[in-house]
Amino acid sequence: MLKSKTFLKKTRAGGVMKIVREHYLRDDIGCGAAGCTACGGAHEGPALEPQPQDPASSLCPQPHYLLPDTNVLLHQIVSAWRPGTWDSVASSLRLPGSLETYVEQEQGENANDRNDRAIRVAAKWYNEHLKKMSADNQLQVIFITNDRKNKEKAVEEGIPAFTCEEYVKSLTANPELIDRLACLSEEGNEIESGKIIFSEHLPLSKLQQGIKSGTYLQGTFRASRENYLEATVWIHGDNEENKEIILQGLKHLNRAVHEDIVAVELLPKSQWVAPSSVVLHDEGQNEDDVEKEEEREQMLKTAVSEKMLKPTGRVVGIIKRNWRPYCGMLSKSDIKESRRHLFTPADKRIPRIRIETRQASTLEGRRIIVAIDGWPRNSRYPNGHFVKNLGDVGEKETETEVLLLEHDVPHQPFSQAVLSFLPKMPWSITEKDMKNREDLRHLCICSVDPPGCTDIDDALHCRELENGNLEVGVHIADVSHFIRPGNALDQESARRGTTVYLCEKRIDMVPELLSSNLCSLKCDVDRLAFSCIWEMNHSAEILKTKFTKSVINSKASLTYAEAQLRIDSANMRDDITTSLRGLNKLAKILKKKRIEKGALTLSSPEVRFHMDSETHDPIDLQTKELRETNSMVEEFMLLANISVAKKIHEEFSEHALLRKHPAPPPSNYEILVKAAKSRNLEIKTDTAKSLAESLDRAESPTFPYLNTLLRILATRCMMQAVYFCSGMDNDFHHYGLASPIYTHFTSPIRRYADVIVHRLLAVAIGADCTYPELTDKHKLADICKNLNYRHKMAQYAQRASVAFHTQLFFKSKGIVSEEAYILFVRKNAIVVLIPKYGLEGTVFFEEKDKPNPRLIYDDEIPSLKIEDTVFHVFDKVKVKIMLDSSNLQHQKIRMSLVEPQIPGISIPPDNISNMNLNGPEKKKMKFEK
């Protein structure tokens, strides 16, 4: 049946436009209840249970379905996810298009009231319809709404209706569910008699006007990990003058939470501040004791030169909340029988959250998930509610789940819909697969990877041609052959974006059948590949480049160490070893050329854990050893990526997926330049080439590790490399590699960017056909945005995994004393690097409830004077390393100064040689300095 509505509308040009709105109403939409005979069994999609699970409700003892209104569904969705609680939710989403339940908006009725009425009509229809199923049928639909007027009207119309709270409280078998309900009214949940702490947020309409006029600036709120009273706002758009705004103090942060989109007002220049050098963590003051916070804010204010001052502002309103469920621990109230407690998130950038729960004793010492509901003006902390219990703190499974959730890493098992697009086993290469593909199985190809690698993306070969030149090939797993555009497997791979490598597990981007089997270029099996083959002379100059889909058969799967042994061995002269030596020789020439062009050779300490074969606990921790073969593989991967980038940009100038590395702003280098100057060295940063040459010259015969420290510090100055669509950007340059163009082609098993690049290259050489999304620059830009986010989160998750396993290592090892070098000096601490373990940590010189030493901080040098001892960047010190478990929520590696000896500060080695911070002495240790 067709219903139409016609009306006239005046256009901007003064004309009249006739608008017709049509509604097609169907009479063949079933109720969805399995076994319903009244509608002939007609229903689309999943059916409702024929006999709903009894939730043991004291209000509704008979079997029933639930029909929540829109607001309940939006705000209480976490409760709805509880297995077995709201399993039988009637699906009304199809019903507005049904002939029997469609309602038109009445005159004077707003859209919200019309929607409420439509849901009530659906509820009434369901109840009448279900009676037709059988004479003795007791099934009914319960309407759930928190809107008082909506509920009253439902009751008047004979519809069983309850608020969400009433219904959940009636579930006698699950009394804990009341904790999961969101607190929706900020004002209604304010602390009783609490004084106003924060200024009122301006309404969105005023914010938009202010942003348009330039009175306010819009940006992303980024809380500090090191100082809970400081944040920055990264301004959106092309505002180069004030790209980053500093916020200091609770009142200027004004209830913004990390990643919120906020509006800020720039303060007068007389109120601008410098980024604080103080390390401050929220130690859980009484939530009403704001005066203590104001005392702490005074610590942020120090006299600095005018050039150190940065644009400073305050939050005047929230444009968009980007809250998510947060992992952490309950800080149980000291008040007996209290239901109100504080939740401390694992992420230090997130404020503590007030929740009400009756399960405090059960949840204490457990990792839990909490959601924020609101943040009243008179509350030091936001309000929230309990969502889920993850498990005991410290357990590997629990902590791994926490770090995956906290970094938004998709890690659920692949769905059946995704798995259905995998090849059927046993799989073999067919004649159809060989179309547009070269047979390279005769070549002496091998792979070189870390030990234990099963997802082998790449393999190489090198051989001498009859003309005396060399043929070099990089062969990459042809993942795009198996993942076809637009299907469920492709969509899930795009969503995940990258494989995430944790210390003892891998979260695959693609199912294991592909990652560790059919796409992995293992030796002695035929595999589909995408090959980049160059003809080179012996000076590593490229004479010809060819791209082709191929089939290969790798002759060896080697580790870096095994490949190095072959190259170095005087007795091995087989084809594989000859190939490796040719590759290694060319790689050295390629690297030299790159460095001459200005490519940077930076440093970042990476660690490797040796795990116990039974317990899987770390039993040794070492920095990774890099060999010539690591560099050999890297050089050819870089060369392949650059060659492919040029090709796809030639063919698709507007929609090539590329990767760029922006040059850092000069201010980023300040710490590096100052640190080098303190050692009478000059670092030039005007170009990447001058930086590279400066770093090469920065040597000290008496301090050989100095150059490594400078390169580590230079790494910290860099910007993040990002994916982008060529048609949406003009700057393609990769600063770190000194390359005018770059992309990722060489790791499609673990990076979705490479899958897209393979598809572009395949179309460019006529080996595959295109599809609309591949040549839509806006859709490619959206893909790049997700890939950049996923890549960043994967890096953070990997670092968190290393940090957790480092804690496990020192938990079993006890207290150790090691040499360290100062990387940074802060106002009240030094940040040190321990080369033996590749471990970084902070040594604090101020502690709660302890007299503070005399500290003098100089940002210009930079240096920190403690009593009569002065510390500079790169100074050598000795520290004690131990696991501090006194705070279960944030167990951490604690470092204390041993040498140089400063009375009252340093720990004499004799005092702690027999102590263990995980035992009864831990509190004594914490304060005996």
Side-chain angles (χ1 to χ4, degrees):
M1 178 179 174
L2 173 66
K3 296 194 76 167
S4 63
K5 187 176 183 180
T6 306
F7 57 94
L8 302 176
K9 182 181 178 181
K10 192 174 181 179
T11 65
R12 286 185 179 180
V16 175
M17 185 191 301
K18 182 179 179 181
I19 296 176
V20 179
R21 285 186 180 162
E22 297 178 337
H23 291 276
Y24 293 88
L25 303 178
R26 293 170 56 182
D27 58 4
D28 60 343
I29 300 178
C31 68
C36 175
T37 54
C39 50
H43 56 77
E44 298 173 2
L48 295 167
E49 296 176 23
Q51 190 66 27
Q53 184 177 333
D54 183 10
S57 167
S58 58
L59 287 174
C60 323
Q62 67 270 40
H64 55 272
Y65 296 119
L66 296 177
L67 183 55
D69 73 5
T70 311
N71 283 321
V72 168
L73 203 58
L74 284 172
H75 296 296
Q76 305 295 352
I77 192 69
V78 173
S79 303
W81 280 344
R82 167 81 173 184
T85 304
W86 285 20
D87 282 349
S88 302
V89 178
S91 173
S92 64
L93 300 179
R94 302 190 299 272
L95 293 176
S98 166
L99 180 63
E100 296 172 286
T101 58
Y102 174 76
V103 299
E104 285 202 34
Q105 191 169 343
E106 295 175 349
Q107 193 169 358
E109 184 180 44
N110 63 38
N112 190 57
D113 288 344
R114 181 258 167 208
N115 290 340
D116 286 345
R117 186 162 57 87
I119 297 173
R120 292 198 305 274
V121 167
K124 193 167 185 177
W125 179 88
Y126 256 116
N127 277 325
E128 291 172 355
H129 180 82
L130 291 174
K131 288 175 184 175
K132 301 174 186 176
M133 285 178 65
S134 64
D136 58 346
N137 179 44
Q138 293 186 327
L139 264 177
Q140 63 174 341
V141 166
I142 306 296
F143 182 43
I144 305 293
T145 178
N146 288 330
D147 185 315
R148 182 174 52 83
K149 288 184 179 177
N150 200 9
K151 181 190 169 189
E152 287 172 358
K153 287 179 180 176
V155 172
E156 286 172 12
E157 294 166 12
I159 303 166
F162 303 100
T163 67
C164 196
E165 186 174 354
E166 286 170 341
Y167 180 79
V168 171
K169 278 184 175 178
S170 79
L171 302 177
T172 52
N174 299 97
E176 77 284 356
L177 283 183
I178 193 68
D179 293 348
R180 297 172 182 263
L181 293 183
C183 309
L184 299 181
S185 168
E186 290 197 355
E187 289 72 25
N189 288 282
E190 291 185 355
I191 301 168
E192 294 81 355
S193 306
K195 68 176 184 180
I196 300 298
I197 301 170
F198 301 101
S199 58
E200 191 171 359
H201 287 151
L202 297 179
L204 191 58
S205 57
K206 284 194 175 180
L207 296 178
Q208 288 169 337
Q209 288 171 10
I211 291 165
K212 193 174 182 181
S213 66
T215 307
Y216 306 133
L217 298 168
Q218 176 180 322
T220 303
F221 182 89
R222 303 261 169 83
S224 167
R225 275 191 175 90
E226 292 192 334
N227 189 335
Y228 74 103
L229 294 175
E230 184 170 274
T232 55
V233 174
W234 189 258
I235 302 304
H236 300 170
D238 301 322
N239 191 323
E240 291 299 328
E241 187 180 350
N242 298 313
K243 196 67 181 170
E244 196 175 46
I245 309 294
I246 291 180
L247 312 176
Q248 280 187 0
L250 274 184
K251 293 181 180 179
H252 285 171
L253 302 182
N254 196 10
R255 297 174 286 158
V257 176
H258 185 64
E259 293 295 345
D260 283 350
I261 307 299
V262 300
V264 293
E265 179 183 47
L266 204 60
L267 297 176
K269 282 197 173 183
S270 59
Q271 296 181 39
W272 285 13
V273 298
S276 173
S277 298
V278 178
V279 179
L280 276 181
H281 296 147
D282 186 354
E283 294 175 355
Q285 291 88 352
N286 185 302
E287 60 185 79
D288 298 323
D289 193 358
V290 182
E291 289 177 10
K292 255 189 182 174
E293 302 289 4
E294 291 171 356
E295 286 174 21
R296 297 195 115 199
E297 287 175 20
Q298 292 304 313
M299 293 175 65
L300 307 181
K301 297 174 183 176
T302 53
V304 292
S305 63
E306 193 171 329
K307 68 176 184 178
M308 297 295 294
L309 300 177
K310 303 289 184 186
T312 307
R314 67 185 186 96
V315 172
V316 293
I318 308 294
I319 294 166
K320 184 190 174 191
R321 289 291 194 189
N322 278 322
W323 295 340
R324 59 176 174 82
Y326 301 104
C327 301
M329 290 183 68
L330 192 72
S331 302
K332 192 178 173 186
S333 172
D334 294 333
I335 302 169
K336 199 176 180 183
E337 305 300 324
S338 175
R339 290 182 179 176
R340 183 173 286 177
H341 308 274
L342 281 175
F343 164 82
T344 305
D347 187 340
K348 291 184 179 179
R349 296 170 300 184
I350 307 300
R352 297 174 132 208
I353 303 166
R354 287 196 304 133
I355 68 168
E356 289 194 23
T357 178
R358 295 152 181 77
Q359 308 171 68
S361 298
T362 306
L363 299 179
E364 200 172 14
R366 313 271 286 180
R367 291 285 191 189
I368 63 173
I369 298 177
V370 160
I372 297 178
D373 299 324
W375 196 338
R377 290 176 60 198
N378 67 347
S379 173
R380 167 68 181 82
Y381 300 111
N383 295 326
H385 66 276
F386 166 71
V387 175
K388 187 179 180 183
N389 184 345
L390 294 174
D392 289 330
V393 67
E395 286 190 356
K396 266 193 286 191
E397 294 76 13
T398 302
E399 297 301 333
T400 300
E401 179 74 5
V402 167
L403 73 86
L404 291 172
L405 289 169
E406 278 297 287
H407 297 102
D408 195 18
V409 175
H411 59 286
Q412 299 77 17
F414 290 98
S415 69
Q416 284 304 312
V418 170
L419 298 175
S420 68
F421 285 96
L422 293 174
K424 301 295 180 282
M425 298 300 287
W427 175 85
S428 61
I429 297 171
T430 65
E431 197 172 316
K432 183 182 176 185
D433 295 331
M434 292 302 296
K435 189 181 177 186
N436 298 320
R437 194 177 291 276
E438 279 194 47
D439 191 340
L440 303 180
R441 284 175 283 196
H442 62 285
L443 293 177
C444 187
I445 293 169
C446 68
S447 61
V448 184
D449 291 282
C453 179
T454 60
D455 53 343
I456 302 172
D457 285 288
D458 55 89
L460 305 111
H461 88 273
C462 176
R463 64 173 179 165
E464 190 162 348
L465 299 173
E466 289 180 1
N467 61 9
N469 291 330
L470 298 170
E471 179 187 87
V472 177
V474 167
H475 311 276
I476 306 300
D478 190 3
V479 179
S480 63
H481 174 84
F482 297 96
I483 302 179
R484 302 309 295 166
N487 66 25
L489 176 57
D490 182 44
Q491 289 170 6
E492 181 62 16
S493 304
R495 185 176 78 91
R496 295 187 177 215
T498 181
T499 292
V500 182
Y501 294 89
L502 306 182
C503 288
E504 56 175 324
K505 74 183 294 185
R506 187 180 79 205
I507 313 298
D508 281 327
M509 182 186 81
V510 299
E512 191 177 16
L513 179 63
L514 297 183
S515 66
S516 295
N517 189 349
L518 302 185
C519 292
S520 185
L521 304 182
K522 298 185 287 188
C523 63
D524 302 324
V525 289
D526 292 348
R527 287 291 178 257
L528 301 180
F530 210 148
S531 299
C532 175
I533 300 172
W534 304 277
E535 184 177 335
M536 294 181 176
N537 60 25
H538 287 264
S539 300
E541 293 168 332
I542 298 173
L543 307 174
K544 293 178 186 173
T545 304
K546 179 174 77 171
F547 304 102
T548 179
K549 291 246 182 175
S550 61
V551 56
I552 67 169
N553 187 296
S554 172
K555 303 302 182 280
S557 297
L558 305 173
T559 65
Y560 291 116
E562 289 168 346
Q564 192 68 52
L565 282 172
R566 282 175 173 265
I567 291 170
D568 296 340
S569 171
N571 302 319
M572 300 188 77
R573 293 182 180 83
D574 58 277
D575 289 347
I576 293 171
T577 305
T578 303
S579 177
L580 287 169
R581 286 178 182 144
L583 290 166
N584 196 42
K585 183 182 174 183
L586 291 170
K588 288 177 181 178
I589 301 170
L590 289 169
K591 185 172 185 177
K592 187 171 180 289
K593 287 181 178 180
R594 277 199 313 109
I595 291 170
E596 285 171 355
K597 288 180 183 176
L600 297 173
T601 305
L602 301 178
S603 182
S604 180
E606 290 187 69
V607 298
R608 178 178 296 282
F609 292 95
H610 295 276
M611 302 293 186
D612 185 286
S613 59
E614 293 183 8
T615 66
H616 299 287
D617 286 337
I619 54 176
D620 197 11
L621 173 61
Q622 298 173 341
T623 51
K624 289 183 181 177
E625 182 185 354
L626 296 179
R627 298 176 171 85
E628 276 187 4
T629 45
N630 291 81
S631 179
M632 177 190 79
V633 173
E634 181 185 13
E635 286 306 316
F636 286 107
M637 296 306 110
L638 293 175
L639 188 62
N641 287 335
I642 292 168
S643 297
V644 170
K646 290 175 182 175
K647 179 66 177 178
I648 62 173
H649 185 247
E650 283 171 13
E651 295 291 329
F652 305 102
S653 60
E654 287 291 298
H655 19 78
L657 191 155
L658 302 175
R659 187 164 175 82
K660 69 173 182 175
H661 182 212
S667 59
N668 279 31
Y669 286 122
E670 284 178 7
I671 183 66
L672 174 65
V673 172
K674 286 178 181 178
K677 191 177 178 182
S678 71
R679 296 281 165 174
N680 298 316
L681 295 169
E682 184 184 15
I683 297 291
K684 293 183 177 179
T685 61
D686 47 324
T687 65
K689 186 172 174 61
S690 60
L691 173 61
E693 289 171 348
S694 297
L695 288 170
D696 287 341
R697 288 193 300 268
E699 298 281 356
S700 171
T702 58
F703 188 1
Y705 197 64
L706 175 62
N707 191 262
T708 301
L709 289 169
L710 283 165
R711 292 182 191 276
I712 289 170
L713 213 52
T715 305
R716 309 295 172 88
C717 302
M718 294 298 121
M719 304 291 283
Q720 184 76 41
V722 291
Y723 297 108
F724 69 101
C725 174
S726 59
M728 305 289 279
D729 208 322
N730 297 317
D731 178 17
F732 293 7
H733 190 72
H734 196 292
Y735 178 81
L737 297 174
S739 176
I741 194 166
Y742 192 67
T743 193
H744 272 162
F745 163 75
T746 55
S747 294
I749 293 177
R750 61 186 178 89
R751 292 188 305 230
Y752 187 75
D754 304 53
V755 175
I756 296 291
V757 169
H758 276 227
R759 289 172 182 170
L760 288 165
L761 184 61
V763 174
I765 66 171
D768 206 344
C769 52
T770 188
Y771 57 99
E773 288 78 11
L774 192 64
T775 52
D776 184 328
K777 64 182 181 181
H778 296 287
K779 290 195 173 168
L780 270 178
D782 288 340
I783 289 172
C784 289
K785 185 178 179 182
N786 178 62
L787 293 177
N788 290 329
Y789 171 73
R790 293 296 182 197
H791 182 71
K792 181 175 70 174
M793 289 296 106
Q795 284 184 320
Y796 291 159
Q798 285 156 206
R799 289 173 196 167
S801 180
V802 168
F804 174 63
H805 282 78
T806 304
Q807 291 174 12
L808 291 179
F809 172 70
F810 282 105
K811 184 176 183 179
S812 61
K813 196 169 181 67
I815 301 171
V816 296
S817 178
E818 291 293 344
E819 288 182 347
Y821 294 96
I822 297 175
L823 278 183
F824 306 100
V825 292
R826 302 285 187 236
K827 194 178 174 185
N828 60 344
I830 55 173
V831 179
V832 300
L833 174 71
I834 299 166
K836 181 177 178 179
Y837 299 122
L839 180 64
E840 197 176 308
T842 305
V843 179
F844 290 96
F845 297 115
E846 289 180 336
E847 290 196 48
K848 190 180 175 186
D849 304 327
K850 211 186 164 193
N852 289 333
R854 183 163 45 90
L855 303 176
I856 301 173
Y857 173 71
D858 187 335
D859 183 63
E860 286 298 315
I861 296 178
S863 68
L864 178 64
K865 186 175 182 181
I866 307 169
E867 301 300 338
D868 297 319
T869 303
V870 181
F871 292 98
H872 299 92
V873 174
F874 303 149
D875 279 356
K876 190 175 183 179
V877 295
K878 197 167 190 178
V879 296
K880 285 286 180 184
I881 316 164
M882 61 210 90
L883 177 66
D884 184 353
S885 301
S886 57
N887 181 344
L888 281 177
Q889 163 68 341
H890 290 120
Q891 294 189 58
K892 60 187 177 184
I893 300 299
R894 182 183 175 84
M895 295 187 186
S896 304
L897 188 67
V898 177
E899 294 176 5
Q901 275 289 311
I902 305 172
I905 301 294
S906 303
I907 302 175
D910 299 343
N911 283 17
I912 61 170
S913 57
N914 298 316
M915 281 187 170
N916 188 318
L917 264 191
N918 303 307
E921 296 289 341
K922 66 184 177 186
K923 285 193 177 177
K924 184 180 176 187
M925 175 65 228
K926 191 171 180 182
F927 299 109
E928 273 191 9
K929 274 198 175 181

